[in-house]
């Protein structure tokens, strides 16, 4: 699999994992409402970091950017994957709306 396609796939995977836990986070009674979106954001970033380290993908290496420590590349990739999950969610949410309105 192409490395950049793997990064996109991981972003979609993180988005789906966060989507699964979204109802659970919003059901926690002692968590104030203003912290619930932040909790989901932190969950997204944590999942992105875990998936980047587990798959050993380094986006900087894929882009031919030379760095001294490959761990830094994995951390950056994990943060991009975690933050890219929001982009993937917005993209698929918008795509789903467009598809539903086209069917009518």
């Amino acid at each position: 699999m192409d490395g950049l396609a793997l990064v996109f796939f991981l972003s979609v995977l993180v988005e789906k994992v966060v989507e699964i836990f979204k109802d659970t986070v919003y059901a926690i009674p002692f968590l104030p409402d203003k912290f619930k979106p932040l909790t989901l954001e932190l969950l997204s970033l944590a999942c992105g970091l875990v998936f980047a380290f587990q798959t050993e993908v380094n986006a900087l290496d894929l882009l031919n950017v030379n760095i001294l420590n490959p761990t830094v590349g994995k951390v950056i990739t994990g943060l991009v994957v975690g933050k890219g999950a929001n982009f993937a969610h917005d993209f698929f949410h918008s795509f789903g709306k467009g598809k539903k309105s086209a069917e009518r």
Side-chain angles (χ1 to χ4, degrees), residues 9-66:
F9 173 76
L10 289 176
S11 294
V12 172
L13 184 63
V14 167
E15 189 272 324
K16 292 302 177 187
V17 168
V18 171
E19 188 80 22
I20 290 169
F21 288 106
K22 183 177 183 179
D23 293 334
T24 305
V25 168
Y26 277 95
I28 298 173
F30 59 85
L31 189 63
D33 288 340
K34 64 181 179 180
F35 289 120
K36 291 178 182 180
L38 176 64
T39 303
L40 291 174
E41 186 76 25
L42 292 174
L43 177 64
S44 176
L45 290 173
C47 285
L49 286 169
V50 167
F51 290 158
F53 275 92
Q54 288 299 311
T55 59
E56 295 186 357
V57 66
N58 181 346
L60 295 179
D61 191 35
L62 296 171
L63 296 171
N64 295 325
V65 175
N66 295 327

Side-chain angles (χ1 to χ4, degrees), residues 7 11 45 48-49 59 74-86:
V7 171
S11 294
L45 290 173
L49 286 169
K74 290 178 189 174
V75 169
I76 291 171
T77 303
L79 295 175
V80 167
V81 165
K83 194 62 180 165
N86 293 335

